[in-house]
Amino acid sequence: MESWPWPSGGAWLLVAARALLQLLRADLRLGRPLLAALALLAALDWLCQRLLPPLAALVVLAAAGWIALSRLARPQRLPVATRAVLITGCDSGFGKATAKKLDAMGFTVLATVLELDSPGAQELRACCSPRLKLLQMDLTKPADISRVLEFTKVHTASTGLWGLVNNAGHNILVADAELSPVATYRSCMEVNFFGTLEMTKALLPLLRRSSGRIVTVSSPAGDMPFPCLSAYGTSKAAVALLMDSFSCELQPWGVKVSVIQPACFRTEAVKNVDQWEERKRQLLATLPQELLQAYGEDYIEHLNGQFLHSLSQGLPDLSPVVDAITDALLAAKPRHRYYPGHGLGLMYFIHYYLPEGLRRRFLQSFFISPYVPRALRLGQPSHTSAQDPGPNLGSAPTAQ
């Protein structure tokens, strides 16, 4: 079929004009995504010239170019100005990194830590501006939350409180649901759910007044049944649903709510191997004899070894999570969910669209490979070796 260069040229002229305008406004970056989009447009141009009449080719190519540039455009962001943000759990990990980033951007940061003389608190005190205020707070103590609330009211009286970043959380045990003491579930819920709930409710009057933002760090373990993370995952599922409720109910007030679901990153808590070993020893020492006989010490050793191996594969650069939190605070239209880190798209696709058996096997191979409990191995050869960590395709989400 005869090609039609003029309609094609007109569409390319329109695409080039918009791209140049976006580049001048710094709404578009020169890089691989833009080059890939242009290559796809060129392929589409070739097909349109051969399969469509001139006017249809012009419309299709121009529309495709416009959509592609719209998707590549940086989201519109609000100015930092004098915005104040409170971040929980800044002793280490995502909280500490976010406090540094927001302080450098010009935010007034109120950073809560468990101990004012902890290494993380000392690091923030040394490297951040005088605008950053360190506040001691334990999320399980209502008196601490009340004290932080009063401090926040006083120190944001002139600017208002723009954002709350619910980052504090923890995971204290890796074990099957039956092996995990009920106290472990209560501990995770106290920090990850009830502490976040109390903190959010305490600051809501200030956030409603400013039509501000609530950003909560959750975990894919709250969406999928990761092996041996039932206590942690249950608390994260609860807090994610809570934030969904807040998102609907606070919409009339102009408060926007976002949830961050990060992949596994190598935070300080993740790298503390001695801590996980000590918790394993405590579990073995306190486990009822009946359960220890049924599952076996080698079973628990296997779980712990697999877990530590998964953590060692975590991403060392925390900036994707920090960037997601920053976008949730400043984007004119923040996303309801952010998924920073590699591999989460495939993980969620498998979880939502493949059969249950495949989902289960994928999570086991991705995180902790199967190992047969002792009672089921009696009279049978072991299916795997406790010393062999088995296949591992990635790493697991952990506490912040």
PDB file of all heavy atoms in Angstrom, residues 20 37 47 52 59 61 78 87 107 137 145 156 167 170 182 216 229 232 234 262 274 281 293 299 330 359 371 390 394:
ATOM      1  N   LEU A  20       9.100  18.936  23.281  1.00  0.00           N
ATOM      2  CA  LEU A  20       9.985  20.077  23.520  1.00  0.00           C
ATOM      3  C   LEU A  20       9.434  20.955  24.636  1.00  0.00           C
ATOM      4  O   LEU A  20      10.185  21.421  25.506  1.00  0.00           O
ATOM      5  CB  LEU A  20      10.148  20.886  22.227  1.00  0.00           C
ATOM      6  CG  LEU A  20      11.029  22.133  22.316  1.00  0.00           C
ATOM      7  CD1 LEU A  20      12.445  21.749  22.733  1.00  0.00           C
ATOM      8  CD2 LEU A  20      11.033  22.884  20.992  1.00  0.00           C
ATOM      9  N   ALA A  37       9.759   4.909  24.012  1.00  0.00           N
ATOM     10  CA  ALA A  37       8.456   5.379  23.529  1.00  0.00           C
ATOM     11  C   ALA A  37       8.554   5.853  22.075  1.00  0.00           C
ATOM     12  O   ALA A  37       7.676   5.561  21.252  1.00  0.00           O
ATOM     13  CB  ALA A  37       7.943   6.505  24.423  1.00  0.00           C
ATOM     14  N   LEU A  47       3.377   0.793  10.690  1.00  0.00           N
ATOM     15  CA  LEU A  47       2.167   0.006  10.502  1.00  0.00           C
ATOM     16  C   LEU A  47       1.010   0.856   9.983  1.00  0.00           C
ATOM     17  O   LEU A  47       0.268   0.445   9.087  1.00  0.00           O
ATOM     18  CB  LEU A  47       1.766  -0.650  11.830  1.00  0.00           C
ATOM     19  CG  LEU A  47       2.620  -1.822  12.305  1.00  0.00           C
ATOM     20  CD1 LEU A  47       2.205  -2.239  13.707  1.00  0.00           C
ATOM     21  CD2 LEU A  47       2.486  -2.992  11.347  1.00  0.00           C
ATOM     22  N   LEU A  52      -3.610   1.826   7.210  1.00  0.00           N
ATOM     23  CA  LEU A  52      -4.716   2.765   7.431  1.00  0.00           C
ATOM     24  C   LEU A  52      -4.737   3.862   6.379  1.00  0.00           C
ATOM     25  O   LEU A  52      -3.695   4.210   5.811  1.00  0.00           O
ATOM     26  CB  LEU A  52      -4.588   3.400   8.821  1.00  0.00           C
ATOM     27  CG  LEU A  52      -4.663   2.468  10.032  1.00  0.00           C
ATOM     28  CD1 LEU A  52      -4.430   3.254  11.308  1.00  0.00           C
ATOM     29  CD2 LEU A  52      -5.997   1.757  10.084  1.00  0.00           C
ATOM     30  N   VAL A  59      -4.592  10.406  12.990  1.00  0.00           N
ATOM     31  CA  VAL A  59      -5.280  10.422  14.276  1.00  0.00           C
ATOM     32  C   VAL A  59      -4.663   9.391  15.237  1.00  0.00           C
ATOM     33  O   VAL A  59      -4.378   9.696  16.398  1.00  0.00           O
ATOM     34  CB  VAL A  59      -6.786  10.153  14.083  1.00  0.00           C
ATOM     35  CG1 VAL A  59      -7.461   9.942  15.440  1.00  0.00           C
ATOM     36  CG2 VAL A  59      -7.434  11.296  13.334  1.00  0.00           C
ATOM     37  N   LEU A  61      -1.630   7.918  15.189  1.00  0.00           N
ATOM     38  CA  LEU A  61      -0.255   8.219  15.586  1.00  0.00           C
ATOM     39  C   LEU A  61      -0.200   9.419  16.531  1.00  0.00           C
ATOM     40  O   LEU A  61       0.527   9.405  17.527  1.00  0.00           O
ATOM     41  CB  LEU A  61       0.604   8.486  14.348  1.00  0.00           C
ATOM     42  CG  LEU A  61       2.101   8.645  14.608  1.00  0.00           C
ATOM     43  CD1 LEU A  61       2.674   7.379  15.227  1.00  0.00           C
ATOM     44  CD2 LEU A  61       2.832   8.980  13.317  1.00  0.00           C
ATOM     45  N   LEU A  78       3.442  19.845  44.359  1.00  0.00           N
ATOM     46  CA  LEU A  78       3.197  21.052  45.132  1.00  0.00           C
ATOM     47  C   LEU A  78       4.523  21.594  45.655  1.00  0.00           C
ATOM     48  O   LEU A  78       5.475  20.842  45.865  1.00  0.00           O
ATOM     49  CB  LEU A  78       2.267  20.732  46.302  1.00  0.00           C
ATOM     50  CG  LEU A  78       0.944  20.048  45.942  1.00  0.00           C
ATOM     51  CD1 LEU A  78       0.203  19.659  47.215  1.00  0.00           C
ATOM     52  CD2 LEU A  78       0.084  20.957  45.080  1.00  0.00           C
ATOM     53  N   ILE A  87       7.131  12.166  61.013  1.00  0.00           N
ATOM     54  CA  ILE A  87       7.510  10.825  60.562  1.00  0.00           C
ATOM     55  C   ILE A  87       7.767   9.963  61.789  1.00  0.00           C
ATOM     56  O   ILE A  87       8.542  10.339  62.670  1.00  0.00           O
ATOM     57  CB  ILE A  87       8.783  10.854  59.697  1.00  0.00           C
ATOM     58  CG1 ILE A  87       8.665  11.897  58.585  1.00  0.00           C
ATOM     59  CG2 ILE A  87       9.067   9.476  59.105  1.00  0.00           C
ATOM     60  CD1 ILE A  87       9.973  12.140  57.848  1.00  0.00           C
ATOM     61  N   PHE A 107      11.519  20.843  54.126  1.00  0.00           N
ATOM     62  CA  PHE A 107      10.405  20.567  55.036  1.00  0.00           C
ATOM     63  C   PHE A 107      10.810  20.853  56.478  1.00  0.00           C
ATOM     64  O   PHE A 107      11.988  20.772  56.847  1.00  0.00           O
ATOM     65  CB  PHE A 107      10.002  19.093  54.957  1.00  0.00           C
ATOM     66  CG  PHE A 107       9.115  18.732  53.809  1.00  0.00           C
ATOM     67  CD1 PHE A 107       9.664  18.311  52.606  1.00  0.00           C
ATOM     68  CD2 PHE A 107       7.742  18.774  53.928  1.00  0.00           C
ATOM     69  CE1 PHE A 107       8.860  17.941  51.544  1.00  0.00           C
ATOM     70  CE2 PHE A 107       6.922  18.419  52.872  1.00  0.00           C
ATOM     71  CZ  PHE A 107       7.483  18.001  51.677  1.00  0.00           C
ATOM     72  N   MET A 137       9.309   8.667  71.221  1.00  0.00           N
ATOM     73  CA  MET A 137       7.944   8.134  71.254  1.00  0.00           C
ATOM     74  C   MET A 137       7.958   6.627  71.078  1.00  0.00           C
ATOM     75  O   MET A 137       8.642   6.091  70.223  1.00  0.00           O
ATOM     76  CB  MET A 137       7.070   8.754  70.158  1.00  0.00           C
ATOM     77  CG  MET A 137       5.605   8.307  70.242  1.00  0.00           C
ATOM     78  SD  MET A 137       4.571   8.971  68.938  1.00  0.00           S
ATOM     79  CE  MET A 137       5.175   8.037  67.530  1.00  0.00           C
ATOM     80  N   ILE A 145       2.243   9.301  72.763  1.00  0.00           N
ATOM     81  CA  ILE A 145       1.507   9.854  71.618  1.00  0.00           C
ATOM     82  C   ILE A 145       0.900  11.204  71.982  1.00  0.00           C
ATOM     83  O   ILE A 145       0.958  12.163  71.204  1.00  0.00           O
ATOM     84  CB  ILE A 145       0.426   8.864  71.150  1.00  0.00           C
ATOM     85  CG1 ILE A 145       1.090   7.597  70.603  1.00  0.00           C
ATOM     86  CG2 ILE A 145      -0.478   9.489  70.107  1.00  0.00           C
ATOM     87  CD1 ILE A 145       0.117   6.507  70.191  1.00  0.00           C
ATOM     88  N   THR A 156       3.603  23.609  65.005  1.00  0.00           N
ATOM     89  CA  THR A 156       3.027  23.808  63.674  1.00  0.00           C
ATOM     90  C   THR A 156       1.870  24.807  63.708  1.00  0.00           C
ATOM     91  O   THR A 156       1.073  24.860  62.784  1.00  0.00           O
ATOM     92  CB  THR A 156       2.528  22.470  63.088  1.00  0.00           C
ATOM     93  OG1 THR A 156       1.476  21.943  63.919  1.00  0.00           O
ATOM     94  CG2 THR A 156       3.658  21.456  62.981  1.00  0.00           C
ATOM     95  N   ASN A 167       5.536   5.287  59.548  1.00  0.00           N
ATOM     96  CA  ASN A 167       6.584   4.364  59.128  1.00  0.00           C
ATOM     97  C   ASN A 167       6.924   3.333  60.201  1.00  0.00           C
ATOM     98  O   ASN A 167       7.318   2.213  59.880  1.00  0.00           O
ATOM     99  CB  ASN A 167       7.849   5.155  58.760  1.00  0.00           C
ATOM    100  CG  ASN A 167       9.063   4.262  58.626  1.00  0.00           C
ATOM    101  OD1 ASN A 167       9.209   3.518  57.673  1.00  0.00           O
ATOM    102  ND2 ASN A 167       9.948   4.326  59.622  1.00  0.00           N
ATOM    103  N   HIS A 170       7.235  -3.198  63.268  1.00  0.00           N
ATOM    104  CA  HIS A 170       8.244  -4.214  63.538  1.00  0.00           C
ATOM    105  C   HIS A 170       7.714  -5.603  63.277  1.00  0.00           C
ATOM    106  O   HIS A 170       6.516  -5.845  63.182  1.00  0.00           O
ATOM    107  CB  HIS A 170       8.786  -4.079  64.969  1.00  0.00           C
ATOM    108  CG  HIS A 170       7.863  -4.585  66.039  1.00  0.00           C
ATOM    109  ND1 HIS A 170       8.296  -4.852  67.307  1.00  0.00           N
ATOM    110  CD2 HIS A 170       6.539  -4.878  66.034  1.00  0.00           C
ATOM    111  CE1 HIS A 170       7.286  -5.276  68.047  1.00  0.00           C
ATOM    112  NE2 HIS A 170       6.220  -5.310  67.295  1.00  0.00           N
ATOM    113  N   VAL A 182       0.737 -16.415  70.723  1.00  0.00           N
ATOM    114  CA  VAL A 182      -0.295 -15.386  70.568  1.00  0.00           C
ATOM    115  C   VAL A 182       0.270 -14.015  70.936  1.00  0.00           C
ATOM    116  O   VAL A 182      -0.113 -12.989  70.356  1.00  0.00           O
ATOM    117  CB  VAL A 182      -1.527 -15.735  71.422  1.00  0.00           C
ATOM    118  CG1 VAL A 182      -2.542 -14.598  71.395  1.00  0.00           C
ATOM    119  CG2 VAL A 182      -2.166 -17.028  70.922  1.00  0.00           C
ATOM    120  N   THR A 216       1.351   5.800  54.755  1.00  0.00           N
ATOM    121  CA  THR A 216       1.596   4.684  55.662  1.00  0.00           C
ATOM    122  C   THR A 216       2.419   3.610  54.955  1.00  0.00           C
ATOM    123  O   THR A 216       2.067   3.179  53.853  1.00  0.00           O
ATOM    124  CB  THR A 216       0.269   4.079  56.150  1.00  0.00           C
ATOM    125  OG1 THR A 216      -0.474   5.102  56.842  1.00  0.00           O
ATOM    126  CG2 THR A 216       0.515   2.911  57.092  1.00  0.00           C
ATOM    127  N   LEU A 229       5.160 -15.576  58.126  1.00  0.00           N
ATOM    128  CA  LEU A 229       5.013 -14.155  58.464  1.00  0.00           C
ATOM    129  C   LEU A 229       3.562 -13.823  58.819  1.00  0.00           C
ATOM    130  O   LEU A 229       3.105 -12.702  58.587  1.00  0.00           O
ATOM    131  CB  LEU A 229       5.466 -13.268  57.298  1.00  0.00           C
ATOM    132  CG  LEU A 229       6.963 -13.149  57.048  1.00  0.00           C
ATOM    133  CD1 LEU A 229       7.230 -12.186  55.888  1.00  0.00           C
ATOM    134  CD2 LEU A 229       7.697 -12.660  58.291  1.00  0.00           C
ATOM    135  N   TYR A 232       3.120 -10.788  61.440  1.00  0.00           N
ATOM    136  CA  TYR A 232       3.470  -9.523  60.798  1.00  0.00           C
ATOM    137  C   TYR A 232       2.492  -9.186  59.674  1.00  0.00           C
ATOM    138  O   TYR A 232       1.974  -8.070  59.583  1.00  0.00           O
ATOM    139  CB  TYR A 232       4.891  -9.628  60.261  1.00  0.00           C
ATOM    140  CG  TYR A 232       5.368  -8.436  59.478  1.00  0.00           C
ATOM    141  CD1 TYR A 232       5.656  -7.229  60.102  1.00  0.00           C
ATOM    142  CD2 TYR A 232       5.564  -8.526  58.105  1.00  0.00           C
ATOM    143  CE1 TYR A 232       6.113  -6.144  59.379  1.00  0.00           C
ATOM    144  CE2 TYR A 232       6.020  -7.444  57.371  1.00  0.00           C
ATOM    145  CZ  TYR A 232       6.289  -6.259  58.005  1.00  0.00           C
ATOM    146  OH  TYR A 232       6.750  -5.185  57.286  1.00  0.00           O
ATOM    147  N   THR A 234      -0.587 -10.224  59.129  1.00  0.00           N
ATOM    148  CA  THR A 234      -1.939  -9.922  59.608  1.00  0.00           C
ATOM    149  C   THR A 234      -2.040  -8.472  60.064  1.00  0.00           C
ATOM    150  O   THR A 234      -3.019  -7.769  59.765  1.00  0.00           O
ATOM    151  CB  THR A 234      -2.322 -10.863  60.764  1.00  0.00           C
ATOM    152  OG1 THR A 234      -2.282 -12.211  60.300  1.00  0.00           O
ATOM    153  CG2 THR A 234      -3.708 -10.551  61.288  1.00  0.00           C
ATOM    154  N   PRO A 262       6.457  -1.719  49.943  1.00  0.00           N
ATOM    155  CA  PRO A 262       7.805  -1.916  49.386  1.00  0.00           C
ATOM    156  C   PRO A 262       8.208  -3.383  49.281  1.00  0.00           C
ATOM    157  O   PRO A 262       7.728  -4.234  50.023  1.00  0.00           O
ATOM    158  CB  PRO A 262       8.704  -1.178  50.382  1.00  0.00           C
ATOM    159  CG  PRO A 262       7.952  -1.222  51.671  1.00  0.00           C
ATOM    160  CD  PRO A 262       6.487  -1.271  51.341  1.00  0.00           C
ATOM    161  N   ASP A 274      22.223 -11.090  64.307  1.00  0.00           N
ATOM    162  CA  ASP A 274      22.249 -11.536  65.708  1.00  0.00           C
ATOM    163  C   ASP A 274      20.864 -11.439  66.342  1.00  0.00           C
ATOM    164  O   ASP A 274      20.472 -12.293  67.150  1.00  0.00           O
ATOM    165  CB  ASP A 274      23.247 -10.706  66.507  1.00  0.00           C
ATOM    166  CG  ASP A 274      24.692 -10.986  66.095  1.00  0.00           C
ATOM    167  OD1 ASP A 274      24.928 -12.049  65.488  1.00  0.00           O
ATOM    168  OD2 ASP A 274      25.557 -10.135  66.364  1.00  0.00           O
ATOM    169  N   ARG A 281      16.415 -18.577  69.048  1.00  0.00           N
ATOM    170  CA  ARG A 281      16.766 -19.308  70.268  1.00  0.00           C
ATOM    171  C   ARG A 281      15.666 -19.171  71.318  1.00  0.00           C
ATOM    172  O   ARG A 281      15.342 -20.142  72.022  1.00  0.00           O
ATOM    173  CB  ARG A 281      18.099 -18.792  70.822  1.00  0.00           C
ATOM    174  CG  ARG A 281      19.312 -19.237  70.015  1.00  0.00           C
ATOM    175  CD  ARG A 281      20.604 -18.958  70.759  1.00  0.00           C
ATOM    176  NE  ARG A 281      20.872 -17.524  70.850  1.00  0.00           N
ATOM    177  CZ  ARG A 281      21.574 -16.841  69.959  1.00  0.00           C
ATOM    178  NH1 ARG A 281      22.083 -17.458  68.899  1.00  0.00           N
ATOM    179  NH2 ARG A 281      21.789 -15.548  70.114  1.00  0.00           N
ATOM    180  N   GLN A 293       8.367 -31.441  69.276  1.00  0.00           N
ATOM    181  CA  GLN A 293       8.480 -32.818  68.802  1.00  0.00           C
ATOM    182  C   GLN A 293       7.826 -32.976  67.429  1.00  0.00           C
ATOM    183  O   GLN A 293       8.321 -33.710  66.568  1.00  0.00           O
ATOM    184  CB  GLN A 293       7.824 -33.770  69.806  1.00  0.00           C
ATOM    185  CG  GLN A 293       8.602 -33.960  71.084  1.00  0.00           C
ATOM    186  CD  GLN A 293       9.949 -34.643  70.847  1.00  0.00           C
ATOM    187  OE1 GLN A 293      10.077 -35.515  69.985  1.00  0.00           O
ATOM    188  NE2 GLN A 293      10.962 -34.238  71.599  1.00  0.00           N
ATOM    189  N   TYR A 299      13.551 -28.187  61.663  1.00  0.00           N
ATOM    190  CA  TYR A 299      12.550 -27.450  60.879  1.00  0.00           C
ATOM    191  C   TYR A 299      12.666 -25.952  61.159  1.00  0.00           C
ATOM    192  O   TYR A 299      12.682 -25.129  60.238  1.00  0.00           O
ATOM    193  CB  TYR A 299      11.153 -27.958  61.242  1.00  0.00           C
ATOM    194  CG  TYR A 299      10.023 -27.299  60.489  1.00  0.00           C
ATOM    195  CD1 TYR A 299       9.578 -27.797  59.278  1.00  0.00           C
ATOM    196  CD2 TYR A 299       9.377 -26.178  61.013  1.00  0.00           C
ATOM    197  CE1 TYR A 299       8.532 -27.198  58.587  1.00  0.00           C
ATOM    198  CE2 TYR A 299       8.332 -25.566  60.344  1.00  0.00           C
ATOM    199  CZ  TYR A 299       7.911 -26.080  59.127  1.00  0.00           C
ATOM    200  OH  TYR A 299       6.879 -25.471  58.454  1.00  0.00           O
ATOM    201  N   LEU A 330       3.773  15.162  48.066  1.00  0.00           N
ATOM    202  CA  LEU A 330       3.824  16.384  47.264  1.00  0.00           C
ATOM    203  C   LEU A 330       3.094  16.309  45.932  1.00  0.00           C
ATOM    204  O   LEU A 330       2.831  17.349  45.327  1.00  0.00           O
ATOM    205  CB  LEU A 330       5.286  16.781  46.997  1.00  0.00           C
ATOM    206  CG  LEU A 330       6.063  17.350  48.179  1.00  0.00           C
ATOM    207  CD1 LEU A 330       7.481  17.684  47.765  1.00  0.00           C
ATOM    208  CD2 LEU A 330       5.373  18.585  48.753  1.00  0.00           C
ATOM    209  N   ARG A 359       0.314 -20.136  43.126  1.00  0.00           N
ATOM    210  CA  ARG A 359       0.606 -18.990  44.005  1.00  0.00           C
ATOM    211  C   ARG A 359       1.391 -19.451  45.220  1.00  0.00           C
ATOM    212  O   ARG A 359       2.378 -18.822  45.614  1.00  0.00           O
ATOM    213  CB  ARG A 359      -0.696 -18.308  44.443  1.00  0.00           C
ATOM    214  CG  ARG A 359      -1.517 -17.722  43.317  1.00  0.00           C
ATOM    215  CD  ARG A 359      -2.489 -16.672  43.832  1.00  0.00           C
ATOM    216  NE  ARG A 359      -3.324 -17.130  44.921  1.00  0.00           N
ATOM    217  CZ  ARG A 359      -4.573 -17.554  44.773  1.00  0.00           C
ATOM    218  NH1 ARG A 359      -5.112 -17.618  43.582  1.00  0.00           N
ATOM    219  NH2 ARG A 359      -5.279 -17.916  45.819  1.00  0.00           N
ATOM    220  N   TYR A 371       9.774 -27.505  53.751  1.00  0.00           N
ATOM    221  CA  TYR A 371      10.562 -28.451  54.545  1.00  0.00           C
ATOM    222  C   TYR A 371       9.572 -29.252  55.377  1.00  0.00           C
ATOM    223  O   TYR A 371       8.677 -28.677  56.014  1.00  0.00           O
ATOM    224  CB  TYR A 371      11.556 -27.709  55.422  1.00  0.00           C
ATOM    225  CG  TYR A 371      12.579 -28.600  56.087  1.00  0.00           C
ATOM    226  CD1 TYR A 371      13.586 -29.194  55.348  1.00  0.00           C
ATOM    227  CD2 TYR A 371      12.527 -28.847  57.451  1.00  0.00           C
ATOM    228  CE1 TYR A 371      14.530 -30.005  55.937  1.00  0.00           C
ATOM    229  CE2 TYR A 371      13.467 -29.661  58.066  1.00  0.00           C
ATOM    230  CZ  TYR A 371      14.469 -30.235  57.297  1.00  0.00           C
ATOM    231  OH  TYR A 371      15.401 -31.050  57.890  1.00  0.00           O
ATOM    232  N   GLY A 390      17.899 -24.254  49.661  1.00  0.00           N
ATOM    233  CA  GLY A 390      16.951 -24.432  48.577  1.00  0.00           C
ATOM    234  C   GLY A 390      16.911 -23.235  47.661  1.00  0.00           C
ATOM    235  O   GLY A 390      17.645 -22.270  47.814  1.00  0.00           O
ATOM    236  N   GLY A 394      14.214 -14.403  45.350  1.00  0.00           N
ATOM    237  CA  GLY A 394      14.122 -12.995  45.696  1.00  0.00           C
ATOM    238  C   GLY A 394      14.258 -12.811  47.176  1.00  0.00           C
ATOM    239  O   GLY A 394      14.956 -13.554  47.837  1.00  0.00           O
TER     240      GLY A 394
END
